[in-house]
Amino acid sequence: INPENIPNGTYKVYINEEPLLNKMAMIERLARAKVGSKLVTFTYNENDEVSIKIEDHAYQYDILINPGHGGWDSGAVNEYVAEKEMNLKVSMYEKCRYEAHGLSVYMTRTSDTYGAKMGPSGLTDLHKVAYEMGYYGAVSKIVYSNHHNSIGNNYFSGYEVLMAGSLTSNELSNELSIANKWN
């Protein structure tokens, strides 16, 4: 089924006149995705029956930042600072800088909490953050999570940024400029 051929709206999904059921674990279920020029949002009722909402896709945010850890989860800690504090300070600084350049930013947390924790109640806090990142990531050009790890292994270093694969290099000129400056 190509969602681009379906008019915008909300639909209950059937196979052979029976409602489509999704018995996968909650964390493995799709929540929201860009498919071609459409945004497809999946919902599941108490019987695990699948409904989809199809609408025209539009980016709402240039960048989604997840300041890693927060609240009860301190991350790495030394005698000076907890990772959750450093992640939040760096993320808030980045948000201000991006917005000063006209970019729109979504943050999964802006205070010492574990974030909004979106998603079904049966998910763990970590999975709720992942759910939120996926949900808003579908309408963000760039998604990343700030961490200042302390793993004692020089193999893992640097940064990782995830971007929508359908964007052209021209559409990503700001992002590529930022990446080049980081390098």
Side-chain angles (χ1 to χ4, degrees), residues 17-76:
E17 299 182 23
E18 293 293 322
L20 176 65
L21 303 180
N22 187 338
K23 295 290 186 179
M24 296 173 71
M26 283 185 263
I27 192 62
E28 296 172 341
R29 294 179 180 185
L30 285 173
R32 203 175 192 199
K34 179 182 183 220
V35 180
S37 65
K38 297 290 186 172
L39 179 65
V40 181
T41 304
F42 297 83
T43 57
Y44 310 90
N45 69 13
E46 66 280 353
N47 298 322
D48 297 318
E49 296 173 349
V50 179
S51 291
I52 59 171
K53 180 179 179 184
I54 296 176
E55 55 193 317
D56 294 330
H57 181 273
Y59 287 107
Q60 295 175 358
Y61 305 99
D62 293 303
I63 301 169
L64 179 152
I65 304 172
N66 172 45
H69 305 288
W72 56 266
D73 182 2
S74 65

Side-chain angles (χ1 to χ4, degrees), residues 31-41 53 55-65 103-107 118 131-143 162-164 166-167 175:
R32 203 175 192 199
K34 179 182 183 220
V35 180
S37 65
K38 297 290 186 172
L39 179 65
V40 181
T41 304
K53 180 179 179 184
E55 55 193 317
D56 294 330
H57 181 273
Y59 287 107
Q60 295 175 358
Y61 305 99
D62 293 303
I63 301 169
L64 179 152
I65 304 172
L103 299 173
S104 59
V105 179
Y106 180 89
M107 299 256 302
M118 289 180 62
Y131 183 98
E132 180 181 15
M133 288 180 71
Y135 190 85
Y136 287 103
V139 292
S140 301
K141 293 178 183 176
I142 295 177
V143 175
L162 306 177
M163 296 178 277
S166 61
L167 297 174
E175 293 79 4

